[in-house]
Amino acid sequence: MRETCQSVEPIFQLLLSELKVSTNASEQHCWDVADRLLKEVTRICVESKRIQASGDPESWAFTLAKHRLQQCLHYSKLGSRRGRIELHSTLSAIVYRYITPLQTQFSYQARLPLIEDFLQGFYMEALNAFRREAQLLPSYTPSAPLQLAEYMAFTERYAKRRIPLPGNRSQQLIILRAQTFSQQQPSETPVDIEQAAEGMSSEADGAWNAASMQQVREQMVAQEPEPVEDTLRHTVIAELISYLDERKQNDCADYFVLRLQDLPTSEIENILRLTPRQRDYLQQRFKYHLVRFALSHRWELVHQWLEADLDRNLGLAPQQWQAFQVQLDESQKALLALKQQKLTDTAIAQALGFTTTQIQKQWFKLLEQAWEIRNDFWEMQNG
């Protein structure tokens, strides 16, 4: 039974009332989730030397409780299917460049099965950690919508936990797991998921049973069709990281992965061990490569994802599209018309009497013009 005191009771009531108002969960499920969130927050405040030294652990407890609550409600609003897609996409983006055997370059398509295998194991590791930390039975498996939302929010936090390393460094737990997974990946035989998730305690080993694995798989990571925009987003992220790796821009790829996690600038600088000036230079170099990727290397993929492909007039409204065409000279109009016919750059070059490189440069400029028109319109709308 939950032991209450004057300092924690208001937090519990806040959590409980918000869960009741914001979800359709039963009274019991709201009470259980509120109780578990309170216990987690209380444990963190008691164990954290920094919080204890602050002199105001109660304020910290309220802040942490609200943060945990918002994460849970975020996944609750998404629902189990959309929530699973977002969590899966977020974690896939974090581990993508770490899921590959040593000294081996894998294509995007080749990495996907490895990422899926790794995340299947990681979801179970997170479930086992959730059971332990919430003091639940080894047989507990989330099934109700609010329980699943609570589990998904915990899994994201668990994945992003920072683990201290030698030399005053730290790294996210899921990245350490992904690196271990890749190092232990046999060349010809399936990987042992339990070895990959080396942090699982012996207490939780018994929970690794077929029934719970199957239920979580069905609820969380079943291979159901993803919305086109989610699939494209995942592909764009993976392709951009591969593009950077191929050009030996590993630091740019690291910077991109950290940006995907919405980390503050100061934390990115700390993780990459950069001064503000070095980080600014890296950011500018990343932007350069991002523009090249979006307007040249994989412009079709990026514009399809942004719903700004040629079938949608490059994302321009009718009046913008007309204004855009007025700016073009005759050769540019011819290039645009041939692009709309889905011809290859080689065929277009032959038709217009240019080299393929010249065609690509001209097309880059056209896409840049359209991009500027869209940006100008966006700034007017949001300025």
Side-chain angles (χ1 to χ4, degrees), residues 22-47:
S22 304
T23 72
N24 295 320
S26 67
E27 173 90 13
Q28 186 62 52
H29 284 160
C30 289
W31 199 98
D32 291 341
V33 171
D35 186 57
R36 287 194 287 267
L37 291 176
L38 176 63
K39 286 179 179 176
E40 180 186 5
V41 167
T42 302
R43 176 180 58 80
I44 292 172
C45 289
V46 169
E47 295 178 356

Side-chain angles (χ1 to χ4, degrees), residues 271-288:
I271 293 170
L272 298 180
R273 307 182 76 177
L274 299 173
T275 65
R277 184 172 183 177
Q278 290 171 326
R279 191 268 312 155
D280 183 64
Y281 173 72
L282 176 60
Q283 178 177 307
Q284 295 303 318
R285 185 151 46 89
F286 169 71
K287 286 182 178 179
Y288 168 82

Side-chain angles (χ1 to χ4, degrees), residues 15-161:
L15 294 170
L16 182 60
S17 61
E18 286 293 328
L19 289 171
K20 285 181 179 179
V21 170
S22 304
T23 72
N24 295 320
S26 67
E27 173 90 13
Q28 186 62 52
H29 284 160
C30 289
W31 199 98
D32 291 341
V33 171
D35 186 57
R36 287 194 287 267
L37 291 176
L38 176 63
K39 286 179 179 176
E40 180 186 5
V41 167
T42 302
R43 176 180 58 80
I44 292 172
C45 289
V46 169
E47 295 178 356
S48 172
K49 295 179 180 178
R50 184 177 64 169
I51 292 177
Q52 291 299 318
S54 71
D56 191 10
E58 187 171 341
S59 176
W60 274 94
F62 267 101
T63 300
L64 287 173
K66 291 177 182 178
H67 177 256
R68 299 295 192 267
L69 175 65
Q70 291 305 313
Q71 284 185 316
C72 186
L73 292 179
H74 171 69
Y75 280 106
S76 177
K77 290 176 182 177
L78 288 174
S80 59
R81 181 173 179 274
R82 293 283 297 179
R84 190 277 300 176
I85 291 171
E86 178 164 314
L87 176 64
H88 203 66
S89 177
T90 298
L91 300 188
S92 295
I94 294 174
V95 304
Y96 173 79
R97 64 191 313 265
Y98 301 96
I99 299 293
T100 177
L102 295 176
Q103 299 178 344
T104 303
Q105 292 298 321
F106 266 70
S107 67
Y108 165 68
Q109 292 297 333
R111 290 192 199 204
L112 283 182
L114 286 175
I115 293 174
E116 293 295 325
D117 285 346
F118 167 74
L119 288 179
Q120 299 290 335
F122 188 81
Y123 291 138
M124 282 306 304
E125 178 186 347
L127 178 58
N128 287 325
F130 179 64
R131 289 165 174 162
R132 292 195 307 273
E133 295 181 14
Q135 299 180 344
L136 294 165
L137 294 174
S139 59
Y140 173 83
T141 301
S143 55
L146 183 57
Q147 292 174 335
L148 283 165
E150 177 191 22
Y151 166 57
M152 287 187 281
F154 174 87
T155 299
E156 182 177 347
R157 292 195 303 274
Y158 181 70
K160 294 179 178 180
R161 283 183 184 178

